[in-house]
Amino acid sequence: MAQWTSAVGAAQLARLLNSQQERPAGPGSRRPPAYRALADGIRLLVLEGRVPVAARLPAERELALSLSVSRTTVAAAYEALRGEGFLESRRGAGSWTAVPAGNPVPARGLEPLPPEALGSMIDLGCASLPAPEPWLTRAVQGALEELPPYAHTHGDYPAGLPALRAMIAERYTARGIPTMPEQIMVTTGAMGAIDAICHLFAGRGERIAVESPSYANILQLMREAGARLVPVAMAEGLAGWDMDRWRQVLREAAPRLAYVVADFHNPTGALADEDQRRRLVDAARAAGTVLVADETMSELWLEEEVGAAGMPRRVCAFDPAGSTVITVGSASKAFWAGMRIGWVRAAPDIVRSLVAARAYADLGTPVLEQLAVNWLFSTGGWEQAVALRRAQARENRDALVTALCRELPDWEFAVPQGGLTLWVRAGGLSGSRLAEMGERTGVRVPSGPRFGVDGAFEGYVRLPFTVGGAVAEEAAVRLAAAARLVETGGTGAAAESPRTFVA
Protein backbone atom coordinates (compact mmCIF):
# COMPACT_ATOMS: atom_id res chain seq x y z
CA MET A 1 0.00 0.00 0.00
CA ALA A 2 1.30 3.47 -0.92
CA GLN A 3 2.52 5.68 1.93
CA TRP A 4 1.54 8.97 0.30
CA THR A 5 -1.73 10.78 1.07
CA SER A 6 -1.68 13.54 -1.57
CA ALA A 7 0.14 14.32 -4.80
CA VAL A 8 1.99 17.28 -6.28
CA GLY A 9 1.90 17.63 -10.05
CA ALA A 10 4.99 18.36 -12.09
CA ALA A 11 3.73 21.75 -13.29
CA GLN A 12 2.74 22.80 -9.76
CA LEU A 13 6.08 21.75 -8.28
CA ALA A 14 7.92 23.52 -11.09
CA ARG A 15 6.03 26.77 -10.36
CA LEU A 16 6.90 26.54 -6.68
CA LEU A 17 10.55 25.83 -7.41
CA ASN A 18 10.85 28.56 -10.04
CA SER A 19 9.45 31.11 -7.58
CA GLN A 20 12.45 30.61 -5.28
CA GLN A 21 15.09 33.25 -5.75
CA GLU A 22 18.59 31.99 -6.33
CA ARG A 23 20.85 32.22 -3.35
CA PRO A 24 23.31 35.08 -3.84
CA ALA A 25 26.88 33.88 -4.05
CA GLY A 26 29.07 35.03 -1.20
CA PRO A 27 32.72 36.01 -1.65
CA GLY A 28 34.68 33.05 -2.94
CA SER A 29 31.66 30.75 -2.98
CA ARG A 30 30.61 28.57 -5.92
CA ARG A 31 27.22 27.92 -7.40
CA PRO A 32 25.98 24.50 -6.22
CA PRO A 33 25.49 21.70 -8.77
CA ALA A 34 22.07 21.64 -10.46
CA TYR A 35 20.96 18.49 -8.64
CA ARG A 36 21.95 20.00 -5.28
CA ALA A 37 20.04 23.22 -5.97
CA LEU A 38 16.96 21.17 -6.94
CA ALA A 39 17.21 19.01 -3.83
CA ASP A 40 17.60 22.11 -1.64
CA GLY A 41 14.57 23.71 -3.26
CA ILE A 42 12.33 20.70 -2.64
CA ARG A 43 13.64 20.32 0.92
CA LEU A 44 12.83 23.98 1.61
CA LEU A 45 9.29 23.58 0.28
CA VAL A 46 8.77 20.61 2.61
CA LEU A 47 10.24 22.39 5.63
CA GLU A 48 7.92 25.36 5.07
CA GLY A 49 4.88 23.18 4.62
CA ARG A 50 4.25 24.47 1.09
CA VAL A 51 4.61 20.89 -0.11
CA PRO A 52 3.00 18.67 2.52
CA VAL A 53 4.63 15.68 4.13
CA ALA A 54 3.53 12.38 2.54
CA ALA A 55 2.88 14.05 -0.81
CA ARG A 56 3.72 11.98 -3.87
CA LEU A 57 6.24 13.77 -6.09
CA PRO A 58 6.07 13.60 -9.88
CA ALA A 59 8.05 10.96 -11.75
CA GLU A 60 11.60 11.92 -12.64
CA ARG A 61 10.86 12.24 -16.37
CA GLU A 62 7.78 14.45 -15.80
CA LEU A 63 9.59 16.85 -13.48
CA ALA A 64 12.61 17.00 -15.77
CA LEU A 65 10.37 18.08 -18.65
CA SER A 66 8.62 20.74 -16.55
CA LEU A 67 11.92 22.16 -15.28
CA SER A 68 13.79 21.79 -18.61
CA VAL A 69 16.60 19.85 -16.94
CA SER A 70 17.95 16.37 -17.52
CA ARG A 71 16.36 13.33 -15.96
CA THR A 72 19.76 12.56 -14.43
CA THR A 73 19.59 15.85 -12.49
CA VAL A 74 16.18 15.00 -11.05
CA ALA A 75 17.26 11.44 -10.23
CA ALA A 76 20.34 12.73 -8.39
CA ALA A 77 18.23 15.28 -6.47
CA TYR A 78 15.74 12.60 -5.41
CA GLU A 79 18.61 10.35 -4.32
CA ALA A 80 20.09 13.17 -2.22
CA LEU A 81 16.72 13.80 -0.58
CA ARG A 82 16.35 10.11 0.21
CA GLY A 83 19.77 10.11 1.84
CA GLU A 84 18.79 13.10 4.01
CA GLY A 85 15.46 11.61 5.06
CA PHE A 86 13.24 14.02 3.11
CA LEU A 87 12.06 11.45 0.56
CA GLU A 88 10.93 7.86 0.68
CA SER A 89 10.38 5.59 -2.31
CA ARG A 90 9.11 2.13 -3.14
CA ARG A 91 9.08 0.40 -6.48
CA GLY A 92 5.64 0.63 -8.01
CA ALA A 93 4.44 3.28 -5.52
CA GLY A 94 6.69 6.19 -6.49
CA SER A 95 8.39 8.69 -4.18
CA TRP A 96 6.81 10.82 -1.47
CA THR A 97 7.99 13.56 0.86
CA ALA A 98 9.02 12.84 4.45
CA VAL A 99 10.86 14.43 7.36
CA PRO A 100 13.92 12.93 9.04
CA ALA A 101 13.37 11.10 12.31
CA GLY A 102 13.21 13.48 15.25
CA ASN A 103 12.17 16.51 13.19
CA PRO A 104 8.78 18.11 13.89
CA VAL A 105 6.23 17.83 11.08
CA PRO A 106 6.14 21.23 9.34
CA ALA A 107 3.02 23.31 9.91
CA ARG A 108 1.14 24.50 6.85
CA GLY A 109 -0.32 27.45 8.75
CA LEU A 110 1.13 29.94 11.21
CA GLU A 111 0.61 28.15 14.49
CA PRO A 112 2.26 29.75 17.53
CA LEU A 113 5.25 28.11 19.13
CA PRO A 114 4.59 25.96 22.19
CA PRO A 115 5.24 27.91 25.41
CA GLU A 116 8.25 25.78 26.33
CA ALA A 117 10.07 26.96 23.17
CA LEU A 118 9.63 30.67 23.84
CA GLY A 119 12.66 31.01 26.11
CA SER A 120 15.26 30.57 23.36
CA MET A 121 13.24 31.32 20.20
CA ILE A 122 11.74 34.74 19.43
CA ASP A 123 8.40 34.02 17.77
CA LEU A 124 7.54 36.42 14.96
CA GLY A 125 5.31 33.87 13.29
CA CYS A 126 2.08 34.58 15.14
CA ALA A 127 0.54 38.08 14.95
CA SER A 128 -0.96 38.03 18.45
CA LEU A 129 -0.24 39.93 21.65
CA PRO A 130 -0.52 38.75 25.26
CA ALA A 131 -3.86 39.32 26.98
CA PRO A 132 -4.64 42.91 28.05
CA GLU A 133 -4.86 42.59 31.79
CA PRO A 134 -6.68 43.26 34.05
CA TRP A 135 -9.46 43.16 31.47
CA LEU A 136 -9.25 39.44 30.69
CA THR A 137 -9.55 38.53 34.36
CA ARG A 138 -12.39 41.00 34.92
CA ALA A 139 -14.25 39.72 31.88
CA VAL A 140 -14.00 36.10 33.01
CA GLN A 141 -15.12 37.03 36.53
CA GLY A 142 -18.07 38.93 35.08
CA ALA A 143 -18.92 35.94 32.88
CA LEU A 144 -18.91 33.60 35.87
CA GLU A 145 -21.39 35.85 37.64
CA GLU A 146 -23.71 35.68 34.63
CA LEU A 147 -23.30 31.93 34.09
CA PRO A 148 -25.79 30.33 36.55
CA PRO A 149 -28.98 30.89 34.49
CA TYR A 150 -27.30 29.43 31.41
CA ALA A 151 -25.96 26.47 33.38
CA HIS A 152 -29.57 25.38 33.97
CA THR A 153 -30.11 25.05 30.20
CA HIS A 154 -28.68 22.64 27.62
CA GLY A 155 -26.01 25.27 26.80
CA ASP A 156 -26.40 24.71 23.06
CA TYR A 157 -26.84 27.99 21.15
CA PRO A 158 -25.97 27.36 17.48
CA ALA A 159 -26.49 31.01 16.50
CA GLY A 160 -24.83 32.34 19.65
CA LEU A 161 -26.14 33.66 22.96
CA PRO A 162 -29.11 35.97 22.31
CA ALA A 163 -27.61 38.66 24.56
CA LEU A 164 -24.33 38.71 22.65
CA ARG A 165 -26.04 38.67 19.25
CA ALA A 166 -28.14 41.66 20.33
CA MET A 167 -25.06 43.48 21.64
CA ILE A 168 -23.08 42.96 18.43
CA ALA A 169 -26.07 44.11 16.37
CA GLU A 170 -26.38 47.20 18.56
CA ARG A 171 -22.73 48.06 17.99
CA TYR A 172 -23.18 47.96 14.21
CA THR A 173 -26.32 50.06 14.49
CA ALA A 174 -24.45 52.64 16.59
CA ARG A 175 -21.96 52.96 13.71
CA GLY A 176 -24.75 53.86 11.31
CA ILE A 177 -25.30 50.35 9.94
CA PRO A 178 -28.80 49.24 11.06
CA THR A 179 -28.53 45.62 12.16
CA MET A 180 -30.92 43.14 13.79
CA PRO A 181 -29.83 40.27 16.05
CA GLU A 182 -31.17 37.93 13.37
CA GLN A 183 -28.31 39.14 11.16
CA ILE A 184 -25.64 37.93 13.60
CA MET A 185 -24.17 34.48 14.17
CA VAL A 186 -21.49 33.99 16.84
CA THR A 187 -18.68 31.67 15.75
CA THR A 188 -15.51 30.10 17.12
CA GLY A 189 -13.18 32.86 16.01
CA ALA A 190 -12.96 34.45 12.57
CA MET A 191 -11.52 31.22 11.14
CA GLY A 192 -14.68 29.38 12.18
CA ALA A 193 -16.77 32.06 10.50
CA ILE A 194 -14.90 31.95 7.20
CA ASP A 195 -14.81 28.16 7.19
CA ALA A 196 -18.61 28.10 7.53
CA ILE A 197 -19.03 30.70 4.76
CA CYS A 198 -16.73 28.81 2.38
CA HIS A 199 -18.59 25.54 2.92
CA LEU A 200 -21.94 27.25 2.31
CA PHE A 201 -21.02 29.25 -0.79
CA ALA A 202 -17.91 27.76 -2.37
CA GLY A 203 -17.98 24.02 -2.96
CA ARG A 204 -14.98 22.10 -4.21
CA GLY A 205 -13.69 23.61 -7.45
CA GLU A 206 -15.41 26.99 -6.99
CA ARG A 207 -13.37 30.14 -7.57
CA ILE A 208 -12.57 32.49 -4.68
CA ALA A 209 -10.88 35.82 -5.41
CA VAL A 210 -8.31 36.79 -2.79
CA GLU A 211 -5.99 39.71 -2.27
CA SER A 212 -2.39 38.99 -3.21
CA PRO A 213 -0.81 38.80 -0.68
CA SER A 214 -3.42 37.67 1.84
CA TYR A 215 -3.66 36.04 5.27
CA ALA A 216 -1.84 32.71 5.11
CA ASN A 217 -4.15 30.67 7.35
CA ILE A 218 -7.24 31.73 5.40
CA LEU A 219 -5.57 30.84 2.10
CA GLN A 220 -4.73 27.39 3.45
CA LEU A 221 -8.27 26.93 4.78
CA MET A 222 -9.63 27.69 1.31
CA ARG A 223 -7.16 25.38 -0.41
CA GLU A 224 -8.08 22.50 1.85
CA ALA A 225 -11.76 23.17 1.15
CA GLY A 226 -10.96 22.57 -2.52
CA ALA A 227 -11.36 26.15 -3.71
CA ARG A 228 -9.62 27.53 -6.79
CA LEU A 229 -7.90 30.70 -5.60
CA VAL A 230 -7.81 33.68 -7.95
CA PRO A 231 -5.18 36.20 -6.75
CA VAL A 232 -5.72 39.94 -7.19
CA ALA A 233 -2.61 42.04 -6.67
CA MET A 234 -2.67 44.76 -4.03
CA ALA A 235 -1.70 48.31 -4.96
CA GLU A 236 1.85 49.41 -4.16
CA GLY A 237 2.77 50.30 -0.59
CA LEU A 238 -0.18 51.05 1.67
CA ALA A 239 -2.47 52.29 -1.10
CA GLY A 240 -5.06 49.54 -0.61
CA TRP A 241 -6.73 47.80 -3.53
CA ASP A 242 -5.98 48.07 -7.24
CA MET A 243 -9.55 48.61 -8.40
CA ASP A 244 -8.82 48.14 -12.11
CA ARG A 245 -7.53 44.63 -11.37
CA TRP A 246 -10.46 43.84 -9.09
CA ARG A 247 -13.00 44.86 -11.72
CA GLN A 248 -11.21 42.77 -14.34
CA VAL A 249 -11.02 39.65 -12.16
CA LEU A 250 -14.64 39.90 -11.00
CA ARG A 251 -15.84 40.44 -14.56
CA GLU A 252 -13.75 37.74 -16.25
CA ALA A 253 -13.39 35.03 -13.57
CA ALA A 254 -16.84 35.53 -11.97
CA PRO A 255 -15.70 34.05 -8.62
CA ARG A 256 -18.37 32.76 -6.26
CA LEU A 257 -16.70 34.46 -3.30
CA ALA A 258 -14.14 37.22 -2.77
CA TYR A 259 -12.25 37.57 0.51
CA VAL A 260 -10.79 40.95 1.54
CA VAL A 261 -9.28 42.65 4.59
CA ALA A 262 -10.07 46.35 4.16
CA ASP A 263 -8.86 47.52 7.58
CA PHE A 264 -5.09 47.28 8.17
CA HIS A 265 -4.70 44.40 5.80
CA ASN A 266 -2.84 41.29 6.91
CA PRO A 267 0.04 41.19 5.95
CA THR A 268 0.64 44.60 4.29
CA GLY A 269 -1.10 46.90 6.79
CA ALA A 270 -2.93 48.75 3.99
CA LEU A 271 -6.17 50.63 4.75
CA ALA A 272 -8.72 50.78 1.92
CA ASP A 273 -10.42 54.17 1.60
CA GLU A 274 -14.17 54.72 1.29
CA ASP A 275 -14.11 55.16 -2.48
CA GLN A 276 -12.32 51.81 -2.92
CA ARG A 277 -14.85 50.11 -0.63
CA ARG A 278 -17.81 51.54 -2.50
CA ARG A 279 -16.40 50.61 -5.90
CA LEU A 280 -15.49 47.06 -4.82
CA VAL A 281 -18.99 46.42 -3.45
CA ASP A 282 -20.51 47.75 -6.68
CA ALA A 283 -18.21 45.55 -8.78
CA ALA A 284 -18.97 42.44 -6.69
CA ARG A 285 -22.71 43.08 -6.93
CA ALA A 286 -22.50 43.45 -10.72
CA ALA A 287 -20.53 40.17 -11.00
CA GLY A 288 -22.81 38.23 -8.67
CA THR A 289 -19.90 37.65 -6.26
CA VAL A 290 -20.40 37.41 -2.51
CA LEU A 291 -17.88 39.70 -0.83
CA VAL A 292 -16.51 38.50 2.53
CA ALA A 293 -15.08 41.46 4.49
CA ASP A 294 -12.78 40.47 7.35
CA GLU A 295 -12.85 43.18 10.03
CA THR A 296 -10.66 41.54 12.65
CA MET A 297 -8.12 44.41 12.55
CA SER A 298 -10.62 47.28 12.25
CA GLU A 299 -10.19 48.65 15.78
CA LEU A 300 -6.41 48.46 15.81
CA TRP A 301 -5.63 51.95 14.49
CA LEU A 302 -2.37 53.11 16.04
CA GLU A 303 -2.16 56.79 15.08
CA GLU A 304 -4.26 59.32 16.97
CA GLU A 305 -5.10 61.23 13.80
CA VAL A 306 -6.67 58.08 12.35
CA GLY A 307 -8.85 57.63 15.42
CA ALA A 308 -9.72 61.32 15.63
CA ALA A 309 -10.63 61.65 11.95
CA GLY A 310 -12.62 58.44 12.04
CA MET A 311 -11.99 55.20 10.20
CA PRO A 312 -13.58 54.69 6.77
CA ARG A 313 -17.09 53.28 6.96
CA ARG A 314 -17.33 49.50 7.17
CA VAL A 315 -17.57 47.66 3.85
CA CYS A 316 -21.12 46.50 4.65
CA ALA A 317 -22.21 50.17 4.90
CA PHE A 318 -22.09 50.27 1.09
CA ASP A 319 -24.44 47.29 0.80
CA PRO A 320 -27.64 48.49 2.49
CA ALA A 321 -29.71 45.70 0.93
CA GLY A 322 -27.38 43.11 2.48
CA SER A 323 -27.28 40.99 -0.68
CA THR A 324 -23.56 41.25 -1.47
CA VAL A 325 -21.43 41.68 1.67
CA ILE A 326 -20.88 39.22 4.51
CA THR A 327 -18.91 40.72 7.40
CA VAL A 328 -16.65 38.74 9.72
CA GLY A 329 -15.48 40.12 13.07
CA SER A 330 -13.50 38.72 15.97
CA ALA A 331 -12.22 39.39 19.47
CA SER A 332 -9.01 37.50 18.77
CA LYS A 333 -6.84 40.30 17.32
CA ALA A 334 -8.24 43.38 19.05
CA PHE A 335 -8.48 41.67 22.45
CA TRP A 336 -6.69 38.29 22.78
CA ALA A 337 -6.12 35.28 20.51
CA GLY A 338 -7.16 32.98 23.35
CA MET A 339 -10.63 34.52 23.29
CA ARG A 340 -11.95 32.44 20.39
CA ILE A 341 -15.08 34.48 19.73
CA GLY A 342 -15.95 35.64 16.23
CA TRP A 343 -19.12 36.60 14.44
CA VAL A 344 -20.79 36.90 11.07
CA ARG A 345 -23.03 39.78 10.03
CA ALA A 346 -25.14 38.91 6.99
CA ALA A 347 -28.69 38.88 5.67
CA PRO A 348 -31.05 36.88 7.93
CA ASP A 349 -31.54 34.12 5.36
CA ILE A 350 -27.77 33.62 5.07
CA VAL A 351 -27.44 33.49 8.86
CA ARG A 352 -30.19 30.88 9.02
CA SER A 353 -28.39 28.76 6.43
CA LEU A 354 -25.09 29.05 8.28
CA VAL A 355 -26.75 28.07 11.57
CA ALA A 356 -28.47 25.08 9.97
CA ALA A 357 -25.18 23.85 8.51
CA ARG A 358 -23.49 24.19 11.89
CA ALA A 359 -25.19 21.05 13.14
CA TYR A 360 -22.61 19.11 11.10
CA ALA A 361 -19.61 21.18 12.23
CA ASP A 362 -18.92 22.48 15.75
CA LEU A 363 -22.56 22.82 16.98
CA GLY A 364 -21.86 26.08 18.79
CA THR A 365 -19.43 28.41 20.55
CA PRO A 366 -18.50 28.05 24.26
CA VAL A 367 -20.94 29.89 26.51
CA LEU A 368 -18.45 31.22 29.07
CA GLU A 369 -16.31 32.98 26.44
CA GLN A 370 -19.42 34.52 24.89
CA LEU A 371 -20.47 35.86 28.28
CA ALA A 372 -16.97 37.32 28.78
CA VAL A 373 -17.11 39.21 25.47
CA ASN A 374 -20.64 40.37 26.22
CA TRP A 375 -19.41 41.68 29.59
CA LEU A 376 -16.64 43.62 27.85
CA PHE A 377 -19.05 45.14 25.33
CA SER A 378 -21.71 46.07 27.90
CA THR A 379 -19.45 47.60 30.57
CA GLY A 380 -17.06 49.68 28.48
CA GLY A 381 -14.25 47.26 29.28
CA TRP A 382 -13.78 46.52 25.57
CA GLU A 383 -12.90 50.12 24.73
CA GLN A 384 -10.41 50.35 27.61
CA ALA A 385 -8.84 46.99 26.76
CA VAL A 386 -8.49 47.91 23.06
CA ALA A 387 -6.92 51.25 24.00
CA LEU A 388 -4.32 49.30 26.00
CA ARG A 389 -3.82 46.96 23.05
CA ARG A 390 -3.24 49.93 20.71
CA ALA A 391 -0.63 51.39 23.04
CA GLN A 392 1.21 48.04 23.24
CA ALA A 393 1.16 47.54 19.48
CA ARG A 394 2.26 51.14 18.76
CA GLU A 395 5.22 50.88 21.12
CA ASN A 396 6.22 47.49 19.70
CA ARG A 397 5.90 48.72 16.12
CA ASP A 398 8.14 51.71 16.72
CA ALA A 399 10.76 49.59 18.51
CA LEU A 400 10.83 47.00 15.73
CA VAL A 401 11.01 49.62 12.97
CA THR A 402 13.93 51.36 14.70
CA ALA A 403 15.80 48.08 15.20
CA LEU A 404 15.26 46.94 11.60
CA CYS A 405 16.45 50.25 10.18
CA ARG A 406 19.62 49.95 12.24
CA GLU A 407 20.40 46.25 11.66
CA LEU A 408 19.03 45.73 8.13
CA PRO A 409 19.07 49.10 6.35
CA ASP A 410 18.61 47.50 2.90
CA TRP A 411 15.25 45.98 3.83
CA GLU A 412 12.24 47.94 2.60
CA PHE A 413 8.81 48.41 4.16
CA ALA A 414 6.07 50.99 4.65
CA VAL A 415 5.06 51.69 8.24
CA PRO A 416 1.30 51.07 8.59
CA GLN A 417 -1.01 53.24 10.68
CA GLY A 418 -2.64 50.24 12.28
CA GLY A 419 -2.88 46.47 12.48
CA LEU A 420 -0.16 44.17 13.73
CA THR A 421 2.19 43.45 10.82
CA LEU A 422 5.02 44.80 8.67
CA TRP A 423 5.34 43.49 5.10
CA VAL A 424 9.05 43.59 4.37
CA ARG A 425 11.02 43.28 1.13
CA ALA A 426 14.14 41.47 2.34
CA GLY A 427 16.87 43.23 0.37
CA GLY A 428 16.87 40.77 -2.53
CA LEU A 429 17.13 37.70 -0.27
CA SER A 430 14.85 34.66 -0.34
CA GLY A 431 12.17 34.86 2.33
CA SER A 432 12.01 31.06 2.44
CA ARG A 433 15.73 30.79 3.15
CA LEU A 434 15.51 33.57 5.74
CA ALA A 435 12.83 31.57 7.53
CA GLU A 436 15.03 28.48 7.39
CA MET A 437 18.13 30.27 8.69
CA GLY A 438 16.09 32.11 11.30
CA GLU A 439 15.46 28.78 12.98
CA ARG A 440 19.25 28.50 13.38
CA THR A 441 19.71 32.02 14.75
CA GLY A 442 16.77 31.89 17.15
CA VAL A 443 14.03 33.90 15.44
CA ARG A 444 10.94 32.40 13.86
CA VAL A 445 9.62 34.35 10.89
CA PRO A 446 7.14 33.37 8.14
CA SER A 447 8.27 33.78 4.56
CA GLY A 448 6.40 35.73 1.93
CA PRO A 449 5.22 32.75 -0.16
CA ARG A 450 2.96 31.64 2.70
CA PHE A 451 0.85 34.73 1.95
CA GLY A 452 0.68 34.25 -1.81
CA VAL A 453 -0.62 31.79 -4.37
CA ASP A 454 1.76 29.37 -6.13
CA GLY A 455 4.99 30.70 -4.69
CA ALA A 456 4.51 34.45 -5.05
CA PHE A 457 6.39 36.90 -2.77
CA GLU A 458 9.56 34.87 -2.37
CA GLY A 459 11.48 38.08 -1.66
CA TYR A 460 9.34 39.05 1.38
CA VAL A 461 8.85 38.20 5.03
CA ARG A 462 6.04 39.21 7.38
CA LEU A 463 7.12 40.67 10.72
CA PRO A 464 4.40 41.20 13.33
CA PHE A 465 5.07 43.82 15.99
CA THR A 466 4.22 41.57 18.87
CA VAL A 467 7.48 42.05 20.79
CA GLY A 468 9.04 45.29 21.97
CA GLY A 469 11.97 46.81 23.79
CA ALA A 470 15.07 44.64 24.13
CA VAL A 471 13.31 41.63 22.57
CA ALA A 472 12.52 43.61 19.39
CA GLU A 473 16.15 44.71 19.21
CA GLU A 474 17.37 41.14 19.66
CA ALA A 475 14.92 39.92 17.01
CA ALA A 476 16.45 42.34 14.50
CA VAL A 477 19.97 41.21 15.46
CA ARG A 478 19.00 37.57 14.90
CA LEU A 479 17.34 38.40 11.58
CA ALA A 480 20.53 40.13 10.48
CA ALA A 481 22.48 37.00 11.45
CA ALA A 482 20.03 34.89 9.44
CA ALA A 483 20.48 37.23 6.46
CA ARG A 484 24.24 36.78 6.61
CA LEU A 485 23.81 33.00 6.60
CA VAL A 486 21.57 33.25 3.53
CA GLU A 487 24.14 35.43 1.77
CA THR A 488 26.88 32.86 2.41
CA GLY A 489 24.69 29.90 1.55
CA GLY A 490 24.51 28.77 5.16
CA THR A 491 28.24 28.13 5.23
CA GLY A 492 29.32 31.22 7.12
CA ALA A 493 30.22 31.28 10.77
CA ALA A 494 27.34 29.93 12.80
CA ALA A 495 25.53 32.39 15.00
CA GLU A 496 26.16 32.26 18.70
CA SER A 497 23.69 30.22 20.71
CA PRO A 498 20.54 32.34 21.04
CA ARG A 499 20.23 34.09 24.36
CA THR A 500 17.23 33.31 26.48
CA PHE A 501 14.65 36.09 26.69
CA VAL A 502 11.53 36.34 28.78
CA ALA A 503 9.12 38.70 27.03
Side-chain angles (χ1 to χ4, degrees), residues 25 32 34 94 115 150 172 185 216 270 295 343 428 459 462:
Y150 295 94
Y172 278 106
M185 181 178 89
E295 294 183 342
W343 54 85
R462 188 195 73 170

Side-chain angles (χ1 to χ4, degrees), residues 168-193:
I168 295 170
E170 182 180 315
R171 290 172 66 83
Y172 278 106
T173 300
R175 296 186 183 102
I177 307 167
T179 303
M180 304 179 295
E182 292 79 9
Q183 291 178 261
I184 303 296
M185 181 178 89
V186 181
T187 62
T188 307
M191 291 287 288

Side-chain angles (χ1 to χ4, degrees), residues 413-424:
F413 52 87
V415 181
Q417 294 182 304
L420 289 171
T421 57
L422 291 177
W423 185 237
V424 180

